[in-house]
C-alpha cells in the first residue's frame, strides 16, 4: 500500500485544517487470521483536537488505537505524524501515550513512582522528575496520594493517576481506550467534564475510544463512527446527529425514526405521510428524530409547512425531562415522538406535526458480515 | 451450616494423618536428640545435651553442613540462571509452542531420580561419554578426574534435577503479570530491557523466591546424588545422618543433626514466605 492521499470518501465534517495534520492514518487494514478487523481506514487528527472513535464492541476501535500506539502492526497502510512515518517505530519511540482501559498502573510502584516512570526511563534529572511529578499530580488532584500503592486507591483515583502518568511525558497525542467504562455512572459524568477541560488546558490532541454515543457527543470535537472495521461517518457531534450520513449512524447516535419513502416530482411519500423534498425521484431513506415531532396546535411558534398526522398512543416511557411516546397511525405507521414532560393523560386520537427540514435523507447502510 | 458428623469426617482424617505421620515422628526425633547411646549400643533414655555438644565439637559435622549449604547455594544459583531465561521465554515468546515446551520441562520429573543420577555417572565417569569425547577431540590426553566423585558432579546433577522446580514457579509468576503492564511500560518509553528490569523482574520475584527455596531446600537435604556421584569430597550432611542411623547406630546424634536441619529449613521457608508476600502484587 503506497497510497499517499489521505482523502477518504467517508470523511466529512470539519474542513481540513490548513496546516499538516498531527496524525494521518492512511489506508490502514488489519486482519487476525481470517477475521478482518479493519478495512482501509483513513483519518486525520489535527493538533489539539478531541477526536472520538465511536463503535460497538467488535467494530475494531481498540485495534485501531493499538496500531497507533504500536502494540499491533497493520497488515497494510501507513501512519504519519507531522510529516514523518510513525508505523515503523516501536511503541517506546512514539510520542504517543495511552490511558489503558483498566489503567495498567504498576502495582509494585507508588502513585508518584508510576507517574515518574516515563521520566525515569528517559533518564531525566532527579530535580526535574520531582518537580514535574508534583505538577502532574496536582493537575489531577492526587498529590496527597503520592505515596500510596495503586491497590489502595479507588477506580476514579486510579484513572487520574493513569492520566497523569501518560500526560507527564508531554505526548503529541494521547490515546484513551475506553478509560471511563470501569467507572460508575455519576463518576463517569464527572470525569467526562474533567477530561474535556483538562484536554483544553493542556492542548494535547486526544484520541478517545468509546462505545457510548452519549459520551462521544459530550466530549468530542469530532466523532469518527466505526462499524465492522470501516468508518461510517466522521463529523462534529452536531452534524453527525443532525445530518447522519447513513441509516446506521442515525440509529446508533441517538434515537430515530427511519422512513423508507418514495420520491416523485419533489414529494416524498411514506404511508400516509408526504413532504416536499429537493431530491431526484426514486426510493429514499429519511431519518426523523423523535424530538423533532411535536404535538400539533399547542405551540405558539407554528411550523411553516408542517407535516401533520394523527395516531393513537401505543406505548409511553417517562424519562424525567422528556417522555417518549410510540404513536400508531391507522395505516400501520408507527413513529416515536419525544415531548417535554407534562402531566400526562393522553388518550384518543392525538395530532402531531414536524417540519420537512427535519426529515434528513440518509444512505442505506451496507450490510456486512 | 454443616453437621457435626460432616465436619468430623472432613477434619479428623487429615488431623490424624498429620499427627501420626508428622508430629509423633518429629516428637520422637526431638526426644532422641536429647538421649544417648550406651557402650552396649542401647539407647539410654535420660536427658542430656551431649549430642549437641558433640556437633559443635567435632569439625566434620558442621564443616559438612556448611559444604552442603554451599552446594545447595550453587545449585540454587545455577537453577535460577538456567530456569529464569527458560521460564521467561516460555511465558513471553514461546507463542503456540508454549504447551509443548511446558511439557518438555515437566517430562524429566516423571523419570526416576535414580535413573537420572546414574545417567550422569555414565556421562562424567573416566570412561564416560564426556571424557571419551574430550580425548577424541584432543582437548585432553587423560580423563578428567574432577568430573565424577566431586562436589562438581553433585552440583551439576542436582542442578539438572531441581531446575524444573525453579522453572515452574517462575513461569507461574510471569504468567500472572498482566500484559497491559508490559505494554504500559513500552508506551511510556521503556525499552525492552528497561521494561524487564523495572516491571517484569520485580513482579516475578515471588516466583524467583519460591524457585530458589525449592532448589536450596531440596538440595540441602539430598543424599542420593552425593552418595552416587559425590565421592569422599562431595559428602553432604544427609549422608552423615544416614550413616549415623544405619552403620554407626547412633540414633541420638543423627536425630540431633536432623533437628538442626529441620530448624534451618523451617526458618528458611518462613523467611521466604514473608518475602514472597512482601513482593506479591498481581
Amino acid at each position: 500500500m503506497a497510497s499517499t492521499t489521505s482523502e477518504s470518501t467517508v470523511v466529512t465534517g470539519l474542513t481540513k485544517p490548513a496546516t499538516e495534520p498531527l496524525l494521518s492514518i492512511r489506508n490502514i487494514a488489519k486482519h487476525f487470521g481470517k477475521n478482518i478487523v479493519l478495512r482501509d481506514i483513513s483519518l486525520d487528527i489535527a493538533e489539539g483536537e478531541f477526536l472520538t472513535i465511536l463503535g460497538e464492541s467488535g467494530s475494531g476501535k481498540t485495534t485501531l488505537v493499538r496500531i497507533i500506539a504500536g502494540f499491533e502492526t497493520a497488515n497494510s497502510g501507513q501512519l504519519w505524524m507531522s510529516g514523518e512515518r510513525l508505523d515503523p517505530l516501536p511503541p517506546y519511540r512514539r510520542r504517543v501515550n495511552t490511558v489503558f482501559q483498566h489503567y495498567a498502573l504498576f502495582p509494585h510502584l507508588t502513585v508518584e513512582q508510576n507517574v515518574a516512570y516515563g521520566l525515569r526511563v528517559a533518564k531525566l534529572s532527579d530535580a526535574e522528575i520531582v518537580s514535574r511529578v508534583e505538577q502532574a499530580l496536582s493537575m489531577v488532584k492526587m498529590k496527597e496520594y503520592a505515596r500510596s500503592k495503586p491497590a489502595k486507591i479507588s477506580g476514579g483515583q486510579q484513572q487520574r493517576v493513569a492520566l497523569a502518568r501518560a500526560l507527564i511525558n508531554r505526548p503529541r497525542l494521547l490515546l484513551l481506550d475506553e478509560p471511563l467504562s470501569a467507572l460508575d455512572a455519576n463518576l463517569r459524568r464527572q470525569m467526562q467534564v474533567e477530561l474535556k477541560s483538562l484536554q483544553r488546558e493542556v492542548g494535547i490532541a486526544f484520541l478517545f475510544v468509546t462505545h457510548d454515543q452519549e459520551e462521544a457527543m459530550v466530549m468530542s470535537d469530532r466523532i469518527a463512527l466505526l462499524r465492522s472495521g470501516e468508518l461510517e461517518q466522521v463529523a462534529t457531534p452536531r452534524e453527525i446527529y443532525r445530518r447522519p450520513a447513513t441509516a446506521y449512524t442515525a440509529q446508533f447516535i441517538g434515537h430515530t425514526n427511519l422512513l423508507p419513502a418514495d420520491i416523485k416530482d419533489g414529494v416524498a411519500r411514506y404511508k400516509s405521510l408526504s413532504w416536499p423534498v429537493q431530491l431526484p425521484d426514486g426510493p429514499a431513506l429519511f431519518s426523523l428524530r423523535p424530538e423533532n415531532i411535536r404535538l400539533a396546535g399547542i405551540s405558539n411558534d407554528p411550523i411553516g409547512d408542517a407535516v401533520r398526522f394523527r395516531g393513537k398512543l401505543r406505548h409511553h416511557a417517562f424519562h424525567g425531562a422528556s417522555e417518549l411516546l410510540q404513536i400508531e397511525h391507522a395505516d400501520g405507521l408507527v413513529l416515536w415522538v419525544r415531548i417535554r414532560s407534562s402531566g400526562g393523560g393522553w388518550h384518543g386520537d392525538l395530532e402531531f406535526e414536524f417540519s420537512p427540514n427535519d426529515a434528513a435523507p440518509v444512505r442505506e447502510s451496507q450490510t456486512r458480515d | 451450616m454443616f453437621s457435626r458428623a460432616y465436619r468430623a469426617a472432613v477434619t479428623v482424617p487429615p488431623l490424624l494423618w498429620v499427627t501420626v505421620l508428622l508430629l509423633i515422628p518429629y516428637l520422637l526425633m526431638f526426644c532422641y536428640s536429647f538421649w544417648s547411646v550406651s557402650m552396649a549400643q542401647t539407647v539410654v533414655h535420660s536427658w542430656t545435651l551431649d549430642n549437641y555438644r558433640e556437633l559443635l565439637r567435632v569439625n566434620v559435622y558442621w564443616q559438612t553442613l556448611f559444604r552442603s549449604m554451599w552446594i545447595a547455594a550453587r545449585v540454587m544459583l545455577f537453577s535460577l540462571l538456567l530456569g529464569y531465561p527458560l521460564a521467561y521465554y516460555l511465558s513471553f515468546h514461546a507463542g503456540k509452542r508454549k504447551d509443548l515446551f511446558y511439557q518438555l520441562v515437566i517430562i524429566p520429573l516423571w523419570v526416576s531420580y535414580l535413573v537420572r543420577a546414574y545417567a550422569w555417572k555414565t556421562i562424567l565417569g573416566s570412561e564416560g561419554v564426556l571424557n571419551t569425547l574430550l580425548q577424541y577431540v584432543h582437548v585432553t590426553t587423560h580423563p578428567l578426574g574432577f568430573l565424577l566423585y566431586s562436589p562438581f558432579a553433585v552440583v551439576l546433577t542436582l542442578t539438572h534435577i531441581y531446575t524444573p522446580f525453579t522453572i515452574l514457579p517462575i513461569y507461574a509468576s510471569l504468567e500472572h503479570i498482566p500484559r497491559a503492564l508490559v505494554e504500559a511500560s513500552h508506551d511510556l518509553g521503556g525499552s525492552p530491557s528497561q521494561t524487564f528490569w523495572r516491571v517484569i523482574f520485580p513482579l516475578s520475584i515471588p516466583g524467583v523466591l519460591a524457585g530458589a527455596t525449592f532448589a536450596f531446600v531440596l538440595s540441602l537435604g539430598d543424599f542420593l546424588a552425593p552418595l552416587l556421584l559425590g565421592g569422599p569430597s562431595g559428602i553432604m550432611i544427609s549422608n552423615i545422618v544416614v550413616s549415623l542411623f544405619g552403620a554407626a547406630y547412633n540414633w541420638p546424634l543423627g536425630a540431633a543433626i536432623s533437628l538442626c536441619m529441620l530448624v534451618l529449613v523451617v526458618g528458611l521457608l518462613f523467611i521466604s514466605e514473608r518475602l514472597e508476600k512482601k513482593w506479591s502484587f498481581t
Side-chain angles (χ1 to χ4, degrees), chain A residues 66 69 71 91-92 96-98 100 104-108 117-118 120-121 123 149 165 169, chain B residues 180-192 194-195 198-199 202-203 279 281-282:
Chain A
R66 288 177 60 80
F71 306 140
Y92 50 93
V96 171
N97 285 120
T98 307
F100 291 83
L105 296 178
F106 303 121
H108 59 303
Y117 191 88
R120 286 256 173 256
V121 295
K123 301 197 171 74
K149 286 276 168 74
R165 184 179 71 171
N169 303 295
Chain B
L181 296 182
V182 177
E183 288 180 350
S185 171
H186 288 311
D187 190 75
L188 294 165
S191 66
Q194 286 172 321
T195 301
R198 286 172 180 271
V199 178
L203 292 175
W279 281 93
F281 301 99
T282 50

Side-chain angles (χ1 to χ4, degrees), chain A residues 106-334:
Chain A
F106 303 121
H108 59 303
L109 303 180
T110 62
V111 163
E112 74 187 342
Q113 288 169 332
N114 262 281
V115 174
Y117 191 88
L119 307 182
R120 286 256 173 256
V121 295
K123 301 197 171 74
L124 266 56
S125 73
D126 282 354
E128 182 167 6
I129 293 176
V130 168
S131 83
R132 272 170 74 175
V133 166
E134 196 180 305
Q135 202 187 335
L137 284 177
S138 52
M139 177 180 75
V140 296
K141 305 180 192 79
M142 284 298 293
K143 247 168 101 172
E144 58 192 296
Y145 298 96
R147 301 277 155 92
S148 306
K149 286 276 168 74
K152 301 275 180 222
I153 59 177
S154 73
Q157 290 168 336
Q158 289 182 26
Q159 165 78 72
R160 291 201 171 92
V161 175
L163 204 58
R165 184 179 71 171
L167 285 173
I168 200 170
N169 303 295
R170 297 177 184 152
R172 307 286 308 274
L173 174 66
L174 186 73
L175 307 175
L176 301 105
D177 185 8
E178 304 226 21
L180 305 181
S181 62
L183 305 179
D184 57 47
N186 276 332
L187 190 56
R188 212 169 147 153
R189 256 190 293 275
Q190 184 193 331
M191 285 303 293
Q192 286 170 3
V193 176
E194 278 183 32
L195 258 182
K196 180 68 193 169
S197 63
L198 187 68
Q199 191 261 338
R200 285 209 195 93
E201 197 182 306
V202 296
I204 291 171
F206 276 30
L207 186 66
F208 188 92
V209 170
T210 184
H211 62 270
D212 182 334
Q213 51 98 9
E214 200 184 304
E215 198 163 277
M217 300 276 259
V218 170
M219 302 171 78
S220 323
D221 294 325
R222 280 194 304 159
I223 296 173
L225 181 62
L226 198 60
R227 174 177 172 244
S228 330
E230 275 182 86
L231 286 175
E232 192 83 1
Q233 188 171 7
V234 183
T236 63
R238 280 175 204 284
E239 187 174 345
I240 208 166
Y241 188 79
R242 291 203 179 137
R243 295 282 149 198
T246 65
Y248 177 82
T249 309
Q251 283 172 310
F252 192 77
I253 310 235
H255 197 113
T256 200
N257 296 295
L258 280 181
L259 313 176
D262 261 312
I263 301 175
K264 207 179 170 203
D265 303 328
V267 177
R269 284 175 209 284
Y270 172 59
K271 300 209 165 162
S272 60
L273 299 178
S274 64
W275 63 95
V277 290
Q278 286 171 332
L279 290 166
D281 288 2
L285 198 59
F286 292 84
S287 159
L288 178 62
R289 297 285 181 196
E291 67 272 23
N292 290 332
I293 306 175
R294 63 188 196 185
L295 283 161
I298 56 162
S299 172
N300 39 20
D301 171 27
I303 303 171
D305 46 358
V307 183
R308 297 194 170 205
F309 65 95
R310 303 187 73 84
K312 278 192 170 60
L313 182 67
R314 208 168 74 171
H315 184 79
H316 150 245
F318 179 67
H319 284 252
S322 66
E323 294 184 57
L324 203 57
L325 313 177
Q326 194 184 34
I327 303 300
E328 186 174 6
H329 189 267
D331 63 3
L333 170 74
V334 175

Side-chain angles (χ1 to χ4, degrees), chain A residues 6 8 11 21 23-27 41-45 51-53 64 207 222 224 231 234:
Chain A
S6 59
S8 170
V11 176
L23 178 76
S24 184
I25 301 167
R26 300 180 185 173
N27 309 102
I41 301 286
S42 294
L43 180 66
D44 284 355
I45 299 160
L51 180 77
T52 296
I53 297 180
L64 185 57
L207 186 66
R222 280 194 304 159
L231 286 175
V234 183

